[in-house]
Amino acid sequence: MSEFLYIYRGGDSAGSSASPEEMQKTMQKWVAWMKELGDQGHLKAIGNPLEPTGKVVKINAKGKAITDGPHAEAKDLVGGYTIVEAKDLDEAAELSKGCPHFETGGFVEVRPIMQINM
Amino acid sequence: METRAVDLDEHFFRHESGRLVAALTRVFGVHNLALAEDVVQDAFCRALEMWKLRGIPENPSAWLMATARNRAIDALRRERTARTFAPELSRLIESEWTLAPVVHELLGPQALKDDELRMMFSCCHPRLAEPAQVALILHILCGFSMDEVAAAFLSSRAAIEKRITRAKKVLASSKTLFELTAADFTARLSAVHRALYLLFNEGYHGASYESAIRVDLCREAIRLAGVLRRHPLASTPATLALGALMLLHTARLSARLDQAGELHSLFEQDRSQWDTELIAEGRRLLDISATGTELTEYHLEAAIAAVHADAASAEETDWPRIVELYDMLLAIRPSPVVALNRAIALAQQHGPERGLEAIRAIYGLDRLSDYPFYPAALGELELRSGRPELAREHFRAALSLARSPMERRFIERRIAACRDQSD
């Protein structure tokens, strides 16, 4: 089994105009999805949501400059991450199709976590 | 790795939203209702982001309240120079020494108890028309979005938005939430009863044809009637009777509107589908509501529902008692719809001709001209009098007034019955 990082990008749940009822439905879909991943033995770490705010530190001519970030556009903004276990990248990608994030306009980036085989 | 599975009430967010908006509105002042709504929306977004990954916390209500409280402190700090807040707060929020402790105290569990009730009373402001009161209650206390309110009333989003926005302006003019010790408490309580009654009726008889929406409206009305009932000041005989009436009617809801979305009249309902527990609880409330001297329309409507609940079939119903109760109801709240129902009961007691006679004698009959069940009642009684041709004409008129596919199908079935009888 290998490990993969699901990066949740975009989506309109933060700051949205959804009604409480709609939010609860979305939330419950996520809870069910996480449970399913766990029950099938794919969930390595449930991960964390990220605040939409932050800082970006970059080197420019004057040295290291700190600006308010993140610079990604809202549709690409990273909202959180989860670590899953799967047989290979194809299976990890296939599994992510069940993620409720797609229903609120977001997408999932699936990245293999580099393994060191000693 | 296991995620925790805490079961939430199906409408937890909706109900917490009403409670939190009410509490924050007390702290911010009614004129800052929009700010309270923003803070609550923000707290919900955070809950959603957090819970969808980390699972639902041990005490979700406390989690939401703590988040809303922190957001409220941020908002007060940010806005304290630009806005005025509740009078009891204005001086205390200016100092960082008192700001957080005071908000903690104001939003503590002790202080929260009355807020939902006070907001309910505030929504029933005498300057607001009844439909506006009901829309406001749904929007603020039941957490319905504008779109959800529009769907509930089969109305356009623009019309509902206008109605709610206007209503909020009236609400904002009163600065603080309604005081339960106010002199006009009794008058306001009757307005609240009426609004909850209308909310319930919208779910039970309304034009919306999505059964999920109907059930939601009935459920919300029942929940808010429960909030009234649990408060010593608001738990009057009329409050109890209103609760009884809602439960006794709801007991029949799944038989009235079956799984396939078909409407069934009281005469054709499968009575084994009636919910016996709701009937028992409704009856209990009706029993304890029989104190004091005031006989309200809610007592009478609940009593009528209880007589139906007692009967194993339409034929075995105590129709003379029902006619008597309708007579009393007409004396308290005369309305052509009540008179029509009385005429139908009278037809059960003395035959269809007497029923038709009673319908023709209804005062204010012209007010029923848009009501599909008026010609439908005429059709029913003509059919029973053995005049299927005439009956069919009435049902056709009813069909042209039907407000939903569900009502249309119901009336079409009656037209088919006329055909069967004339063949």
Side-chain angles (χ1 to χ4, degrees):
Chain A
M1 291 295 253
S2 305
E3 291 177 12
F4 300 86
L5 185 66
Y6 281 178
I7 303 169
Y8 306 115
R9 287 184 177 272
D12 64 353
S13 49
S16 73
S17 56
S19 72
E21 193 78 354
E22 289 162 343
M23 287 199 216
Q24 181 162 353
K25 289 210 172 102
T26 301
M27 202 263 305
Q28 271 163 339
K29 280 181 195 159
W30 275 86
V31 170
W33 188 61
M34 283 290 166
K35 185 175 184 305
E36 200 186 317
L37 280 182
D39 289 350
Q40 295 168 347
H42 289 297
L43 196 58
K44 175 76 181 175
I46 49 178
N48 283 296
L50 301 181
E51 294 281 355
T53 54
K55 297 272 188 199
V56 175
V57 186
K58 275 183 179 168
I59 293 182
N60 62 18
K62 289 180 195 153
K64 286 179 185 138
I66 300 175
T67 53
D68 284 341
H71 289 162
E73 285 183 55
K75 67 173 177 46
D76 298 325
L77 196 68
V78 177
Y81 62 89
T82 296
I83 298 173
V84 299
E85 279 185 322
K87 161 161 120 282
D88 51 28
L89 181 56
D90 285 342
E91 191 194 26
E94 197 58 38
L95 275 175
S96 77
K97 284 185 178 169
C99 180
H101 198 42
F102 296 105
E103 293 172 32
T104 47
F107 64 98
V108 182
E109 187 177 319
V110 185
R111 303 283 298 271
I113 292 175
M114 207 179 272
Q115 309 287 317
I116 301 166
N117 298 315
M118 302 282 283
Chain B
M1 179 115 213
E2 290 274 314
T3 53
R4 211 171 353 198
V6 175
D7 273 337
L8 277 190
D9 176 86
E10 201 189 339
H11 302 285
F12 174 80
F13 273 38
R14 186 175 263 180
H15 300 160
E16 287 295 314
S17 150
R19 266 195 279 273
L20 288 174
V21 169
L24 289 177
T25 304
R26 171 174 49 83
V27 172
F28 291 168
V30 182
H31 54 298
N32 288 314
L33 174 65
L35 183 64
E37 288 179 318
D38 286 349
V39 167
V40 172
Q41 181 76 7
D42 201 37
F44 274 80
C45 284
R46 296 188 73 77
L48 172 60
E49 291 307 314
M50 199 61 164
W51 300 0
K52 71 186 195 187
L53 288 182
R54 311 293 306 182
I56 298 154
E58 221 42 83
N59 187 341
S61 291
W63 196 103
L64 272 179
M65 178 42 90
T67 307
R69 199 163 50 210
N70 291 335
R71 298 267 127 181
I73 292 170
D74 289 346
L76 288 166
R77 202 173 272 145
R78 195 175 62 234
E79 306 273 344
R80 64 186 157 195
T81 50
R83 291 178 191 247
T84 56
F85 291 98
E88 74 252 43
L89 203 65
S90 54
R91 216 153 7 99
L92 297 165
I93 61 161
E94 276 163 31
S95 158
E96 278 300 311
W97 290 99
T98 45
L99 172 60
V102 118
V103 173
H104 271 259
E105 196 190 310
L106 284 171
L107 294 178
Q110 240 359 71
L112 274 172
K113 251 180 39 204
D114 288 351
D115 292 337
E116 208 174 10
L117 195 61
R118 292 178 63 189
M119 180 60 96
M120 216 189 302
F121 278 68
S122 294
C123 288
C124 295
H125 197 287
R127 269 176 55 207
L128 292 174
E130 282 169 348
Q133 296 175 0
V134 178
L136 211 49
I137 287 177
L138 263 185
H139 181 59
I140 297 180
L141 282 165
C142 309
F144 277 50
S145 65
M146 301 273 189
D147 286 322
E148 286 164 351
V149 178
F153 290 120
L154 224 64
S155 180
S156 74
R157 148 122 200 177
I160 289 297
E161 197 165 346
K162 200 163 150 193
R163 184 185 296 174
I164 291 178
T165 309
R166 246 192 228 151
K168 279 183 178 173
K169 279 201 187 112
V170 171
L171 198 62
S173 68
S174 50
K175 287 257 175 200
T176 61
L177 287 177
F178 186 82
E179 296 288 350
L180 298 177
T181 50
D184 57 341
F185 176 83
T186 309
R188 198 63 82 91
L189 180 60
S190 329
V192 172
H193 287 150
R194 183 82 191 146
L196 295 187
Y197 174 79
L198 292 175
L199 175 59
F200 181 83
N201 268 358
E202 193 60 42
Y204 200 77
H205 296 290
S208 179
Y209 40 84
E210 263 186 64
S211 63
I213 292 179
R214 291 168 157 267
V215 173
D216 275 0
L217 296 183
C218 291
R219 188 190 291 123
E220 288 303 308
I222 289 171
R223 179 178 72 87
L224 293 176
V227 171
L228 280 185
R229 205 156 58 230
R230 282 190 296 276
H231 197 284
L233 281 175
S235 183
T236 60
T239 299
L240 296 168
L242 179 64
L245 132 74
M246 288 178 181
L247 295 182
L248 289 167
H249 277 96
T250 304
R252 304 203 298 252
L253 197 59
S254 56
R256 183 172 187 273
L257 203 59
D258 68 16
Q259 290 288 331
E262 297 297 327
L263 191 64
H264 299 282
S265 77
L266 194 54
F267 298 99
E268 48 176 19
Q269 282 171 23
D270 171 5
R271 296 187 179 215
S272 69
Q273 296 277 311
W274 288 2
D275 187 324
T276 49
E277 272 175 42
L278 285 180
I279 290 175
E281 180 59 11
R283 210 188 291 279
R284 187 186 72 83
L285 289 179
L286 183 59
D287 284 345
I288 56 174
S289 78
T291 55
T293 51
E294 200 196 4
L295 183 66
T296 65
E297 66 230 67
Y298 312 115
H299 284 95
L300 292 166
E301 284 203 36
I304 292 167
V307 175
H308 285 305
D310 276 336
S313 66
E315 294 70 36
E316 290 162 74
T317 307
D318 186 352
W319 292 106
R321 176 71 185 143
I322 287 186
V323 172
E324 201 177 288
L325 290 166
Y326 272 125
D327 283 334
M328 290 158 86
L329 186 55
L330 275 173
I332 296 181
R333 187 175 267 278
S335 108
V337 174
V338 172
L340 184 65
N341 287 329
R342 176 190 171 273
I344 294 167
L346 201 67
Q348 289 299 121
Q349 188 186 355
H350 295 298
E353 301 290 353
R354 277 290 295 280
L356 286 166
E357 212 174 281
I359 291 179
R360 283 190 287 268
I362 292 175
Y363 180 76
L365 200 54
D366 52 320
R367 277 164 55 206
L368 291 177
S369 60
D370 289 334
Y371 185 56
F373 293 104
Y374 161 55
L378 287 175
E380 208 59 60
L381 297 183
E382 293 291 0
L383 186 61
R384 278 190 229 162
S385 308
R387 291 183 290 269
E389 294 304 322
L390 208 51
R392 192 149 67 171
E393 272 173 45
H394 288 303
F395 282 124
R396 288 231 173 90
L399 193 60
S400 69
L401 296 173
R403 298 162 294 181
S404 67
M406 192 179 69
E407 287 183 356
R408 211 162 295 133
R409 286 195 303 274
F410 172 78
I411 297 164
E412 276 162 358
R413 289 205 312 271
R414 301 315 295 153
I415 293 177
C418 296
R419 206 171 303 131
D420 292 346
Q421 197 170 317
S422 52
D423 285 346

